[in-house]
Amino acid sequence: MIAIPAIDLREGACVQLVGGSYADERVRVKEPLDALTRWRALGFRTFHVVDLDAALGKGSNEGPIGKLLNHEAGLTFSVGGGVRSTANVEAVLALGATFVVVGTRAIEDAAWLREVAERFPGRVVVAADVKGREVVTRGWTAGSARDIGDVLKSLEPLPLGGLLVTAVHKEGQMEGVDLPLMEEVARTSRHPLYASGGVTTLEDLRALGRVGAHGAVIGMALYTGKLDAAEVAREFA
């Protein structure tokens, strides 16, 4: 189980939002590269980058993403946020991403998801953002009326690089993870599980490891110092 620092981009800066609310921004690092070098210095090698502006159709952070991905060879990056076309998928991979994360269109358009997954086997990660048990889309602003169990079943045959499951109701709250949800996903899916939302303590990480998560994306707890980043890196980087 590896810990993966989140680098969420908004207006060219690295930010952290509470509960997915764009009105509740709690952390802002003006230069995203500063966040990357800080986490690299502690030993982290895998990072999750999200273009929040692209997710909401309010612009693009392609420039900052390119700088992050080309900063140092040998690092692993998953990159997502507003990736809703085959051209977007190609562009993200061309920038140097290890994995491209697709959410909204992947949930809404099964034929398109199959097409890109088969074209780039092992490189496409599906983001399933879950509120309660419903998978939500469009930057967490729209419901899909689909239960996470139903979505998992539909993804089983595809050659995916993994599933990024975010417990939206836990995101940024620093109150712990939705362990039953993550355990269910790890048990029922053959794809590697990257868990996100609410990671607050080392015990949260250990518990995710015990239920079978492949990785855990951490944001708010690292940026606010609630979690000791050096301790996390020692055990999970």
Side-chain angles (χ1 to χ4, degrees):
M1 226 286 300
I2 54 169
I4 305 168
I7 302 178
D8 295 350
L9 302 175
R10 182 185 193 184
E11 299 159 349
C14 170
V15 303
Q16 285 293 297
L17 309 178
V18 177
S21 168
Y22 289 78
D24 198 351
E25 180 182 298
R26 199 61 57 88
V27 173
R28 178 170 281 242
V29 180
K30 196 174 173 192
E31 174 48 72
L33 216 47
D34 291 346
L36 177 67
T37 53
R38 176 182 170 192
W39 305 136
R40 274 298 292 127
L42 294 172
F44 292 100
R45 300 190 58 78
T46 302
F47 303 91
H48 178 59
V49 179
V50 180
D51 188 335
L52 295 173
D53 295 319
L56 279 190
K58 291 184 174 178
S60 167
N61 289 278
E62 187 175 312
I65 291 171
K67 278 174 73 174
L68 291 168
L69 270 51
N70 290 292
H71 177 68
E72 180 186 345
L75 303 181
T76 299
F77 286 94
S78 56
V79 178
V83 180
R84 294 174 193 155
S85 72
T86 305
N88 289 157
V89 171
E90 290 171 341
V92 168
L93 293 174
L95 279 175
T98 318
F99 302 105
V100 58
V101 182
V102 293
T104 295
R105 190 169 175 193
I107 300 302
E108 296 176 352
D109 186 345
W112 176 76
L113 175 60
R114 187 181 314 110
E115 176 203 317
V116 292
E118 289 176 353
R119 185 161 165 195
F120 304 103
R123 305 287 300 279
V124 175
V125 170
V126 171
D129 298 337
V130 183
K131 224 174 197 171
R133 289 192 58 84
E134 184 188 18
V135 175
V136 295
T137 59
R138 303 191 179 273
W140 304 348
T141 60
S144 70
R146 294 182 69 190
D147 181 85
I148 179 63
D150 163 55
V151 170
L152 291 175
K153 207 174 293 178
S154 70
L155 299 177
E156 271 307 275
L158 303 178
L160 300 176
L163 303 176
L164 173 65
V165 177
T166 298
V168 174
H169 47 285
K170 295 286 190 177
E171 183 72 20
Q173 311 284 344
M174 294 195 291
E175 294 172 357
V177 297
D178 186 337
L179 204 58
L181 169 66
M182 300 308 173
E183 185 169 15
E184 177 184 343
V185 175
R187 192 178 64 244
T188 58
S189 176
R190 68 186 178 90
H191 301 302
L193 164 65
Y194 297 92
S196 173
V199 174
T200 311
T201 65
L202 282 169
E203 188 47 45
D204 286 335
L205 291 167
R206 294 176 187 130
L208 287 169
R210 284 195 295 272
V211 301
H214 182 78
V217 177
I218 318 174
M220 190 71 78
L222 278 187
Y223 284 90
T224 59
K226 175 99 172 176
L227 253 180
D228 184 321
E231 275 187 28
V232 173
R234 268 197 299 277
E235 195 169 336
F236 295 103

